[in-house]
Short mmCIF file of all heavy atoms in Angstrom, two decimals:
data_model
loop_
_atom_site.label_atom_id
_atom_site.label_comp_id
_atom_site.label_asym_id
_atom_site.label_seq_id
_atom_site.Cartn_x
_atom_site.Cartn_y
_atom_site.Cartn_z
N PHE V 1 0.83 -1.21 0.00
CA PHE V 1 0.00 0.00 0.00
C PHE V 1 0.86 1.26 0.00
O PHE V 1 0.57 2.22 -0.72
CB PHE V 1 -0.94 -0.01 1.21
CG PHE V 1 -1.81 1.21 1.30
CD1 PHE V 1 -2.82 1.43 0.38
CD2 PHE V 1 -1.61 2.16 2.30
CE1 PHE V 1 -3.62 2.56 0.46
CE2 PHE V 1 -2.40 3.29 2.38
CZ PHE V 1 -3.41 3.49 1.46
N MET V 2 1.93 1.27 0.78
CA MET V 2 2.82 2.43 0.80
C MET V 2 3.50 2.61 -0.55
O MET V 2 3.71 3.74 -1.01
CB MET V 2 3.86 2.28 1.91
CG MET V 2 3.29 2.33 3.32
SD MET V 2 2.25 3.79 3.61
CE MET V 2 3.45 5.10 3.40
N SER V 3 3.84 1.52 -1.22
CA SER V 3 4.41 1.61 -2.57
C SER V 3 3.40 2.19 -3.54
O SER V 3 3.74 2.97 -4.44
CB SER V 3 4.87 0.23 -3.04
OG SER V 3 5.93 -0.25 -2.24
N SER V 4 2.14 1.81 -3.37
CA SER V 4 1.08 2.37 -4.21
C SER V 4 0.94 3.87 -3.96
O SER V 4 0.77 4.66 -4.89
CB SER V 4 -0.24 1.66 -3.93
OG SER V 4 -1.29 2.18 -4.71
N CYS V 5 1.02 4.28 -2.69
CA CYS V 5 0.98 5.72 -2.36
C CYS V 5 2.13 6.45 -3.05
O CYS V 5 1.93 7.53 -3.64
CB CYS V 5 1.08 5.92 -0.85
SG CYS V 5 -0.36 5.36 0.09
N ALA V 6 3.33 5.87 -2.98
CA ALA V 6 4.49 6.50 -3.61
C ALA V 6 4.33 6.56 -5.13
O ALA V 6 4.72 7.55 -5.77
CB ALA V 6 5.76 5.73 -3.25
N THR V 7 3.73 5.53 -5.70
CA THR V 7 3.51 5.51 -7.15
C THR V 7 2.58 6.64 -7.57
O THR V 7 2.87 7.36 -8.54
CB THR V 7 2.90 4.16 -7.57
OG1 THR V 7 3.84 3.11 -7.27
CG2 THR V 7 2.58 4.14 -9.05
N LEU V 8 1.47 6.81 -6.86
CA LEU V 8 0.52 7.86 -7.23
C LEU V 8 1.13 9.25 -7.02
O LEU V 8 0.91 10.16 -7.83
CB LEU V 8 -0.76 7.72 -6.41
CG LEU V 8 -1.57 6.43 -6.65
CD1 LEU V 8 -2.88 6.48 -5.87
CD2 LEU V 8 -1.85 6.21 -8.13
N ALA V 9 1.89 9.42 -5.94
CA ALA V 9 2.55 10.72 -5.72
C ALA V 9 3.53 11.02 -6.83
O ALA V 9 3.64 12.16 -7.31
CB ALA V 9 3.25 10.71 -4.36
N ALA V 10 4.27 10.00 -7.28
CA ALA V 10 5.22 10.19 -8.37
C ALA V 10 4.51 10.52 -9.68
O ALA V 10 5.02 11.33 -10.48
CB ALA V 10 6.08 8.93 -8.55
N LEU V 11 3.34 9.94 -9.90
CA LEU V 11 2.58 10.26 -11.11
C LEU V 11 2.13 11.72 -11.11
O LEU V 11 2.12 12.37 -12.16
CB LEU V 11 1.37 9.34 -11.23
CG LEU V 11 1.67 7.88 -11.57
CD1 LEU V 11 0.41 7.04 -11.54
CD2 LEU V 11 2.33 7.76 -12.95
N VAL V 12 1.78 12.25 -9.93
CA VAL V 12 1.43 13.67 -9.85
C VAL V 12 2.66 14.52 -10.16
O VAL V 12 2.56 15.54 -10.86
CB VAL V 12 0.88 14.01 -8.44
CG1 VAL V 12 0.66 15.51 -8.30
CG2 VAL V 12 -0.42 13.27 -8.20
N PHE V 13 3.82 14.10 -9.68
CA PHE V 13 5.06 14.81 -10.01
C PHE V 13 5.30 14.82 -11.52
O PHE V 13 5.66 15.85 -12.10
CB PHE V 13 6.24 14.17 -9.29
CG PHE V 13 7.58 14.74 -9.66
CD1 PHE V 13 8.05 15.89 -9.04
CD2 PHE V 13 8.35 14.15 -10.65
CE1 PHE V 13 9.29 16.43 -9.39
CE2 PHE V 13 9.59 14.68 -11.01
CZ PHE V 13 10.06 15.83 -10.37
N LEU V 14 5.12 13.68 -12.16
CA LEU V 14 5.33 13.60 -13.61
C LEU V 14 4.32 14.48 -14.35
O LEU V 14 4.65 15.08 -15.38
CB LEU V 14 5.21 12.15 -14.07
CG LEU V 14 6.27 11.19 -13.52
CD1 LEU V 14 6.00 9.77 -14.00
CD2 LEU V 14 7.66 11.63 -13.93
N PHE V 15 3.10 14.55 -13.83
CA PHE V 15 2.09 15.44 -14.41
C PHE V 15 2.57 16.89 -14.32
O PHE V 15 2.46 17.67 -15.28
CB PHE V 15 0.77 15.25 -13.66
CG PHE V 15 -0.30 16.23 -14.03
CD1 PHE V 15 -0.69 16.42 -15.33
CD2 PHE V 15 -0.94 16.97 -13.03
CE1 PHE V 15 -1.70 17.34 -15.67
CE2 PHE V 15 -1.94 17.88 -13.34
CZ PHE V 15 -2.32 18.06 -14.67
N GLY V 16 3.13 17.28 -13.17
CA GLY V 16 3.67 18.63 -13.02
C GLY V 16 4.83 18.89 -13.95
O GLY V 16 4.95 19.98 -14.52
N MET V 17 5.69 17.89 -14.13
CA MET V 17 6.82 18.05 -15.04
C MET V 17 6.35 18.22 -16.48
O MET V 17 6.98 18.93 -17.28
CB MET V 17 7.75 16.85 -14.94
CG MET V 17 8.57 16.80 -13.66
SD MET V 17 9.73 18.18 -13.51
CE MET V 17 10.84 17.83 -14.87
N ALA V 18 5.26 17.56 -16.84
CA ALA V 18 4.73 17.69 -18.19
C ALA V 18 4.18 19.08 -18.45
O ALA V 18 4.17 19.55 -19.59
CB ALA V 18 3.65 16.64 -18.43
N LEU V 19 3.74 19.77 -17.38
CA LEU V 19 3.12 21.07 -17.55
C LEU V 19 4.09 22.24 -17.37
O LEU V 19 4.02 23.22 -18.12
CB LEU V 19 1.98 21.24 -16.54
CG LEU V 19 0.68 20.47 -16.80
CD1 LEU V 19 -0.31 20.75 -15.70
CD2 LEU V 19 0.08 20.87 -18.15
N PHE V 20 4.93 22.20 -16.37
CA PHE V 20 5.74 23.35 -15.96
C PHE V 20 6.47 24.01 -17.13
O PHE V 20 7.08 23.33 -17.94
CB PHE V 20 6.76 22.89 -14.91
CG PHE V 20 7.55 24.03 -14.31
CD1 PHE V 20 7.01 24.79 -13.30
CD2 PHE V 20 8.82 24.33 -14.78
CE1 PHE V 20 7.74 25.85 -12.75
CE2 PHE V 20 9.54 25.37 -14.25
CZ PHE V 20 9.00 26.14 -13.22
N PRO V 21 6.46 25.36 -17.21
CA PRO V 21 5.83 26.32 -16.31
C PRO V 21 4.38 26.64 -16.68
O PRO V 21 3.83 27.62 -16.19
CB PRO V 21 6.71 27.55 -16.48
CG PRO V 21 7.08 27.50 -17.93
CD PRO V 21 7.24 26.04 -18.25
N HIS V 22 3.78 25.83 -17.55
CA HIS V 22 2.40 26.06 -17.95
C HIS V 22 1.44 25.50 -16.91
O HIS V 22 1.76 24.57 -16.18
CB HIS V 22 2.12 25.41 -19.30
CG HIS V 22 2.97 25.92 -20.41
ND1 HIS V 22 4.17 25.32 -20.77
CD2 HIS V 22 2.82 26.97 -21.25
CE1 HIS V 22 4.71 26.00 -21.78
NE2 HIS V 22 3.92 27.00 -22.08
N LEU V 23 0.27 26.07 -16.89
CA LEU V 23 -0.84 25.51 -16.13
C LEU V 23 -1.95 25.04 -17.06
O LEU V 23 -2.62 24.06 -16.77
CB LEU V 23 -1.38 26.55 -15.15
CG LEU V 23 -0.44 26.83 -13.96
CD1 LEU V 23 -0.82 28.12 -13.26
CD2 LEU V 23 -0.43 25.68 -12.98
N ILE V 24 -2.13 25.73 -18.16
CA ILE V 24 -2.99 25.27 -19.24
C ILE V 24 -2.25 25.51 -20.55
O ILE V 24 -1.90 26.65 -20.88
CB ILE V 24 -4.35 26.01 -19.26
CG1 ILE V 24 -5.13 25.74 -17.98
CG2 ILE V 24 -5.17 25.56 -20.46
CD1 ILE V 24 -6.50 26.40 -17.94
N VAL V 25 -2.00 24.44 -21.27
CA VAL V 25 -1.30 24.53 -22.55
C VAL V 25 -2.32 24.83 -23.64
O VAL V 25 -3.39 24.21 -23.70
CB VAL V 25 -0.56 23.22 -22.87
CG1 VAL V 25 0.12 23.30 -24.23
CG2 VAL V 25 0.47 22.92 -21.78
N SER V 26 -1.99 25.79 -24.51
CA SER V 26 -2.88 26.13 -25.62
C SER V 26 -2.40 25.45 -26.89
O SER V 26 -1.21 25.47 -27.22
CB SER V 26 -2.89 27.65 -25.83
OG SER V 26 -3.66 27.99 -26.97
N ARG V 27 -3.33 24.85 -27.59
CA ARG V 27 -3.03 24.31 -28.91
C ARG V 27 -4.17 24.70 -29.84
O ARG V 27 -5.34 24.73 -29.43
CB ARG V 27 -2.85 22.79 -28.87
CG ARG V 27 -4.11 22.03 -28.43
CD ARG V 27 -3.94 20.54 -28.52
NE ARG V 27 -5.14 19.86 -28.08
CZ ARG V 27 -6.19 19.58 -28.86
NH1 ARG V 27 -6.16 19.91 -30.14
NH2 ARG V 27 -7.26 18.98 -28.40
N PRO V 28 -3.90 25.04 -31.06
CA PRO V 28 -2.58 24.99 -31.73
C PRO V 28 -1.80 26.30 -31.61
O PRO V 28 -0.83 26.47 -32.34
CB PRO V 28 -2.98 24.74 -33.19
CG PRO V 28 -4.29 25.46 -33.34
CD PRO V 28 -4.99 25.35 -32.01
N GLU V 29 -2.19 27.21 -30.73
CA GLU V 29 -1.50 28.49 -30.57
C GLU V 29 -0.80 28.52 -29.21
O GLU V 29 -1.37 28.96 -28.22
CB GLU V 29 -2.51 29.65 -30.67
CG GLU V 29 -3.14 29.82 -32.03
CD GLU V 29 -2.13 30.30 -33.07
OE1 GLU V 29 -1.08 30.85 -32.67
OE2 GLU V 29 -2.39 30.11 -34.27
N PRO V 30 0.45 28.05 -29.11
CA PRO V 30 1.15 28.01 -27.83
C PRO V 30 1.27 29.38 -27.16
O PRO V 30 1.37 29.47 -25.94
CB PRO V 30 2.54 27.45 -28.19
CG PRO V 30 2.34 26.73 -29.49
CD PRO V 30 1.26 27.49 -30.21
N ALA V 31 1.23 30.46 -27.96
CA ALA V 31 1.37 31.81 -27.39
C ALA V 31 0.21 32.15 -26.46
O ALA V 31 0.34 33.05 -25.62
CB ALA V 31 1.47 32.84 -28.51
N HIS V 32 -0.91 31.46 -26.58
CA HIS V 32 -2.07 31.74 -25.74
C HIS V 32 -2.07 30.93 -24.45
O HIS V 32 -3.02 31.02 -23.66
CB HIS V 32 -3.36 31.45 -26.51
CG HIS V 32 -3.53 32.30 -27.73
ND1 HIS V 32 -4.40 31.97 -28.75
CD2 HIS V 32 -2.95 33.47 -28.09
CE1 HIS V 32 -4.34 32.90 -29.69
NE2 HIS V 32 -3.47 33.82 -29.31
#
């Protein structure tokens, strides 16, 4: 269970890495 907790926390970290420094990515106009 603790490994599962660590897995989900790490997935949230990866989600943040996919976004940073964006909070909402605009497509097809990245400038927005």
Side-chain angles (χ1 to χ4, degrees):
F1 179 69
M2 293 308 297
S3 296
S4 180
C5 292
T7 297
L8 296 186
L11 289 175
V12 174
F13 174 84
L14 296 177
F15 173 54
M17 287 296 294
L19 286 179
F20 186 81
H22 300 92
L23 289 164
I24 298 182
V25 177
S26 175
R27 62 175 180 87
E29 293 292 340
H32 298 161

